[in-house]
Amino acid sequence: MKSLAHSIARVAHEVNRAYCEALGDFTQTSWEEAPEWQQQSAVKGAELHLANPNLGASASHEAWMREKLDSGWTYGAYKDPVNKLHPCIVPFTDLPAEQKAKDFIFRGVVHAHEADALGGAAGLANIGGFDADDLAFLGHDHQIGFLLHGKDGD
């Protein structure tokens, strides 16, 4: 039987794939077709937020970037798994809004799925925990502010 983190990682991966497709990026594969390193990265991200529910979305990115750097990846203008290049190997604050949104979505999926697995809304209380980088992002992006607050980012 798969762990809760594995189940959550699968859902988060598919949600991310759908989000990427909405942005016009059709390069993401299904969970079943994703390489092992990509699946394990998602599992580690789920484990991170399950073990540390008050971490903000920027923590997802920082942990992901640390793992990439430790595996020999470097910054590149485009994603190239063969040469281990990725355009998101930059600090969270330097990411474009649509890339930052992926970390908010991932974190939200982890806590919503955890709450569902626990049979209630207990885990959902953790969705609101934002760190300083998260708050800076939310304060400057009106689309995300609208989604979270129902108004024009105010």
Side-chain angles (χ1 to χ4, degrees), residues 2 41 47 71 80 92 105 125 129 139-140 150 154:
K2 300 288 184 180
S41 179
E47 290 171 342
S71 298
D80 179 353
F92 182 79
I105 293 167
H140 291 97
D154 296 329

Side-chain angles (χ1 to χ4, degrees), residues 76-125:
Y78 56 91
K79 184 177 176 181
D80 179 353
V82 173
N83 292 306
K84 295 188 173 184
L85 301 172
H86 205 294
C88 293
I89 297 181
V90 297
F92 182 79
T93 54
D94 295 342
L95 286 172
E98 65 274 5
Q99 294 300 320
K100 289 178 184 176
K102 290 180 184 182
D103 294 303
F104 281 91
I105 293 167
F106 186 92
R107 184 180 182 278
V109 167
V110 170
H111 291 300
H113 197 8
E114 177 187 29
D116 187 54
L118 296 174
L124 292 178

Side-chain angles (χ1 to χ4, degrees), residues 3-153:
S3 69
L4 176 61
H6 185 276
S7 297
I8 291 172
R10 184 183 187 286
V11 172
H13 175 87
E14 292 299 337
V15 169
N16 181 67
R17 183 166 69 109
Y19 174 73
C20 288
E21 288 176 1
L23 295 175
D25 175 2
F26 295 93
T27 64
Q28 303 299 313
T29 62
S30 70
W31 178 259
E32 291 75 20
E33 296 172 347
E36 181 67 21
W37 63 262
Q38 193 172 35
Q39 290 183 5
Q40 287 306 309
S41 179
V43 170
K44 287 178 184 177
E47 290 171 342
L48 174 74
H49 284 291
L50 289 170
N52 305 283
N54 293 320
L55 288 179
S58 62
S60 291
H61 177 71
E62 297 304 327
W64 170 87
M65 187 170 70
R66 192 170 32 259
E67 181 182 332
K68 288 287 189 211
L69 292 171
D70 290 348
S71 298
W73 287 68
T74 58
Y75 172 82
Y78 56 91
K79 184 177 176 181
D80 179 353
V82 173
N83 292 306
K84 295 188 173 184
L85 301 172
H86 205 294
C88 293
I89 297 181
V90 297
F92 182 79
T93 54
D94 295 342
L95 286 172
E98 65 274 5
Q99 294 300 320
K100 289 178 184 176
K102 290 180 184 182
D103 294 303
F104 281 91
I105 293 167
F106 186 92
R107 184 180 182 278
V109 167
V110 170
H111 291 300
H113 197 8
E114 177 187 29
D116 187 54
L118 296 174
L124 292 178
N126 295 322
I127 291 177
F130 300 117
D131 64 20
D133 288 337
D134 296 345
L135 293 174
F137 169 63
L138 291 173
H140 291 97
D141 189 285
H142 295 290
Q143 287 182 325
I144 297 297
F146 177 79
L147 291 171
L148 293 175
H149 305 294
K151 52 188 174 183
D152 190 23

